[in-house]
Amino acid sequence: MSDNVAQVVARLVFSVSLAIFVFDGGAAAAQSSSSSVAPLLRLLQSGKLPAARKGTVVEMICSRGEPDDLAVVLKQTIAGDYDAALSTKVLQLLTDAAVVRKVKPAGDLSVVEKLLQPAAGEQSDEVRLAAVRLAGIWKVASAADELRAIVADETLKEALRNAAVDGLGGLGGDEAQRALGEVSATAKSASLRFRAAAALAKLDLNQAADVAAKALAAASPTDDVGPLLDAFLTRKGGPDKLAAALKPAGLTPDAAKLSLRYIYSVGRSDPELSNVLSSAAGIALDQKPPTPEELQALLKEIAEHGDAARGERIFRRTDLSCMKCHAVSRAGGQVGPDLSAIGSISPVDYVANSILVPNLAIKEQFVTRVFTTADGQTITGIVVDRDDVRVNVKDAGGKVVTIPTADIDEEEEGKSLMPQGLTKFLTRQELVDLVKFISELGRPGPYAIRSLPTIQRWRVLKSLPTELQAEAPNVEHFREHVLDAPADAWAPAYGMTAGVLPLAELGKPGSVLFLQGELEVVEPGSVTFRVDSTEPTLLWIDAEPFESQSKPTIELTKGRHRVTLRIALGSGSESPQLKVEISKPANSKAQFDVVGGS
């Protein structure tokens, strides 16, 4: 029996068993509870539930249950009835229930403090992390001392300490506010200082702005200022408060550039904040939209002196974040429109105006909405879907944010997620080249839409354990460190329009890269992979290895498959690059789609 058939049979058996249980015993549960999940709760407590199905039942209870139902699941979690993975999932589901449905378990919620203590094993760290977050969401005041202790313990992982900082922000009150003020001023870790200032923004925006300005003034060029800035960008009045505090703070040009680059990358260009940061960074302030005469002069320069090849390199620059929002050849962000064919359907003046004045013409499907919640938080993005309970919004970074409908205080139409003034990072020639490149996309020539599929969206492993650096890994190491690596172990990398991935963007000579692309097979059959690389390369299709620089043909089953490459960057090539084309041999019945996106 195949795995797919076995899974279908297992689900069918479970569904029938559940139906029989509900028919025979559910009535008794219904008599003792009006909850819609009473039969499931009785099944969970009966001891007859197969271990493989416990997670499904628990998820249904947490997603639909009332306080008494959630109390049972919480009690079993505290008692250790679930393994670490399911315990973590339960705590995350209880967090979702509290935030979105406004439902908490009945009884004493301080029992969650038992999970704040350290336990053995790597997975238990995840349980502790989820419990720390939940203690803040539930506002368990008695957990304050434990949260402060976690924040102060420099031996703990930063993610746990950051969660404890957020937890203190969730608890609120004078003690938590004082603790956050101390952390923001004295913590050795810049990340922790930023996080504490961000948490303060929920309690006292004025105090938070003052400590945030000091923290930013001391920031190094390698610090991630995003979490701190987000706290003000998402508070009503937050950008202006921060701008006022930053004026006398004495930001270094590097810190100002980092901050300016970040706010533009998330689709914000709040005038006061943008101008303060621009001034500190030594960058020109936002310019007015061009006059008709200025636009005509720009178009003349584009036609006579624009270089599309240079423009593509500008488009890929991280400080502009173009690929964070837009896809080309189906690789890149999915927040703004796909630009693969823009040049074939839009005149050059439209392209230029769209860059210089993003709010001039916004297509209906990309119109943003601005939501202000009852606690003063603001969320801007494109509505993905909504119902009576929640609204899902995609922000400028492509992240989907869930807003409980009950929390929405105001809603209005927003502006383009592409910020006004982004061109301040460009010289005149760079602007000319950028418009030239975008206006060539989709036209016949080097930027036309290709017929032969190539892998455009790659993932690159962010850090390599010793087992992956020296030589080709064995099967066990490959599975453990590559195939089983979590999603957050990978960073995105995108091929150029012609399908080539510039490897110099990803590593230095002498380094080793692990790259991974994906293929969705709709109909099974033979598929050929052609690997063109300037560097020594090893290839795996799923877990099967192939010789380097090979052109293997392999029979693929229906479903998603992974293409993994190990590349040893040498020093011989000035422009190391990779290109992987995928085709099907003659008479092959395979139907597939190369996975794109962000």
Side-chain angles (χ1 to χ4, degrees):
M1 181 182 294
S2 69
D3 291 342
N4 288 339
V5 174
Q7 292 171 3
V8 171
V9 171
R11 285 196 294 267
L12 181 59
V13 170
F14 173 69
S15 299
V16 172
S17 299
L18 177 59
I20 293 172
F21 181 87
V22 171
F23 182 78
D24 290 343
Q31 290 175 359
S32 62
S33 172
S34 59
S35 169
S36 62
V37 299
L40 292 173
L41 194 64
R42 182 174 175 84
L43 177 60
L44 179 66
Q45 295 175 300
S46 70
K48 299 177 182 179
L49 183 63
R53 295 299 173 188
K54 184 176 289 188
T56 302
V57 170
V58 168
E59 182 173 358
M60 293 173 70
I61 293 172
C62 290
S63 300
R64 306 173 188 176
E66 300 301 322
D68 288 340
D69 307 318
L70 302 187
V72 173
V73 176
L74 176 61
K75 181 179 179 181
Q76 291 188 350
T77 305
I78 301 296
D81 292 353
Y82 309 146
D83 62 22
L86 184 53
S87 294
T88 302
K89 184 176 183 180
V90 166
L91 297 175
Q92 293 168 343
L93 289 168
L94 291 175
T95 298
D96 185 67
V99 172
V100 179
R101 296 198 296 124
K102 310 299 181 186
V103 179
K104 302 176 184 179
D108 183 12
L109 298 180
S110 67
V111 294
V112 76
E113 291 179 52
K114 296 180 180 179
L115 300 179
L116 301 183
Q117 301 297 325
E122 190 69 25
Q123 276 191 311
S124 64
D125 288 346
E126 298 302 318
V127 175
R128 193 181 187 195
L129 179 63
V132 165
R133 290 170 175 159
L134 193 53
I137 295 295
W138 281 349
K139 298 186 181 298
V140 180
S142 56
D145 289 342
E146 185 62 37
L147 293 178
R148 282 196 292 266
I150 291 173
V151 173
D153 190 344
E154 296 182 2
T155 67
L156 296 176
K157 292 181 179 179
E158 195 166 85
L160 182 60
R161 298 177 73 194
N162 284 339
V165 166
D166 293 343
L168 287 172
L171 295 182
D174 293 341
E175 287 299 319
Q177 192 167 326
R178 275 193 290 271
L180 291 172
E182 291 175 6
V183 174
S184 65
T186 62
K188 294 181 181 179
S189 163
S191 172
L192 210 59
R193 293 197 303 273
F194 292 169
R195 198 82 177 206
L200 266 177
K202 298 180 180 179
L203 307 179
D204 187 323
L205 200 56
N206 290 318
Q207 181 188 359
D210 289 338
V211 298
K214 293 175 183 176
L216 286 172
S220 76
T222 59
D223 289 335
D224 180 9
V225 298
L228 174 55
L229 293 170
D230 275 339
F232 291 90
L233 295 176
T234 58
R235 304 300 300 177
K236 190 173 185 178
D240 289 347
K241 289 281 186 184
L242 182 59
L246 286 173
K247 285 181 180 179
L251 281 188
T252 65
D254 281 349
K257 289 175 183 175
L258 283 174
S259 302
L260 193 62
R261 183 184 302 170
Y262 181 79
I263 68 170
Y264 279 97
S265 76
V266 295
R268 298 293 292 266
S269 53
D270 304 81
E272 285 295 320
L273 183 56
S274 178
N275 287 339
V276 168
L277 293 173
S278 296
S279 178
I283 296 174
L285 301 183
D286 293 344
Q287 297 179 345
K288 295 180 180 179
T291 64
E293 294 76 18
E294 289 170 336
L295 181 60
Q296 288 304 313
L298 176 61
L299 296 178
K300 187 173 185 293
E301 285 185 60
I302 293 167
E304 296 178 356
H305 305 293
D307 187 309
R310 290 197 304 253
E312 181 167 18
R313 291 194 290 272
I314 294 165
F315 183 83
R316 295 171 63 84
R317 274 172 32 183
T318 55
D319 61 330
L320 298 182
S321 298
C322 298
M323 297 205 71
K324 196 172 183 179
C325 286
H326 298 285
V328 174
S329 297
R330 299 182 59 210
Q334 297 174 302
V335 180
D338 188 308
L339 300 180
S340 301
I342 187 70
S344 65
I345 58 177
S346 301
V348 182
D349 60 340
Y350 175 85
V351 174
N353 263 323
S354 296
I355 295 173
L356 293 168
V357 193
N359 296 306
L360 190 63
I362 309 173
K363 293 183 179 180
E364 185 177 353
Q365 65 267 40
F366 299 107
V367 171
T368 63
R369 305 295 295 176
V370 180
F371 298 88
T372 303
T373 62
D375 64 353
Q377 185 180 14
T378 61
I379 301 99
T380 302
I382 297 168
V383 174
V384 178
D385 57 61
R386 66 195 306 165
D387 56 29
D388 294 339
V389 177
R390 72 194 76 196
V391 180
N392 289 320
V393 177
K394 183 184 288 187
D395 65 17
K399 178 184 176 183
V400 176
V401 179
T402 299
I403 311 170
T405 303
D407 287 353
I408 298 174
D409 195 34
E410 298 176 12
E411 178 183 351
E412 60 185 4
E413 186 174 306
K415 299 180 180 179
S416 169
L417 283 178
M418 180 177 171
Q420 178 80 29
L422 189 62
T423 54
K424 71 171 64 179
F425 292 103
L426 302 177
T427 65
R428 177 75 171 191
Q429 185 60 53
E430 287 174 333
L431 174 61
V432 166
D433 292 339
L434 177 62
V435 177
K436 181 70 173 182
F437 163 66
I438 295 175
S439 65
E440 289 292 319
L441 288 171
R443 291 185 179 183
Y447 303 102
I449 296 175
R450 298 184 318 281
S451 58
L452 186 61
T454 58
I455 296 180
Q456 294 289 123
R457 189 211 71 175
W458 292 94
R459 295 280 188 261
V460 57
L461 204 55
K462 290 189 284 191
S463 61
L464 301 186
T466 305
E467 294 88 344
L468 298 183
Q469 292 181 11
E471 57 185 18
N474 60 37
V475 175
E476 290 77 13
H477 290 156
F478 181 73
R479 284 190 177 279
E480 178 184 357
H481 298 298
V482 180
L483 292 184
D484 294 338
D488 60 4
W490 302 86
Y494 305 117
M496 300 180 76
T497 311
V500 172
L501 178 67
L503 298 175
E505 293 181 355
L506 307 178
K508 298 178 180 179
S511 62
V512 173
L513 300 174
F514 270 81
L515 300 169
Q516 195 169 90
E518 293 180 304
L519 188 70
E520 188 73 37
V521 177
V522 180
E523 293 293 337
S526 298
V527 178
T528 299
F529 297 84
R530 176 172 178 156
V531 179
D532 288 326
S533 175
T534 60
E535 313 301 300
T537 302
L538 298 178
L539 169 69
W540 291 262
I541 309 297
D542 296 324
E544 184 176 353
F546 294 86
E547 293 182 4
S548 62
Q549 306 299 328
S550 60
K551 187 181 176 183
T553 296
I554 183 172
E555 196 77 17
L556 293 181
T557 58
K558 184 178 180 179
R560 184 159 294 197
H561 297 270
R562 287 179 281 183
V563 180
T564 306
L565 297 169
R566 180 189 187 273
I567 300 177
L569 289 178
S571 56
S573 175
E574 294 183 1
S575 302
Q577 60 187 33
L578 166 73
K579 185 176 183 179
V580 177
E581 295 177 336
I582 305 175
S583 60
K584 63 178 183 178
N587 301 321
S588 172
K589 297 182 179 179
Q591 297 292 331
F592 61 85
D593 187 35
V594 179
V595 177
S598 57

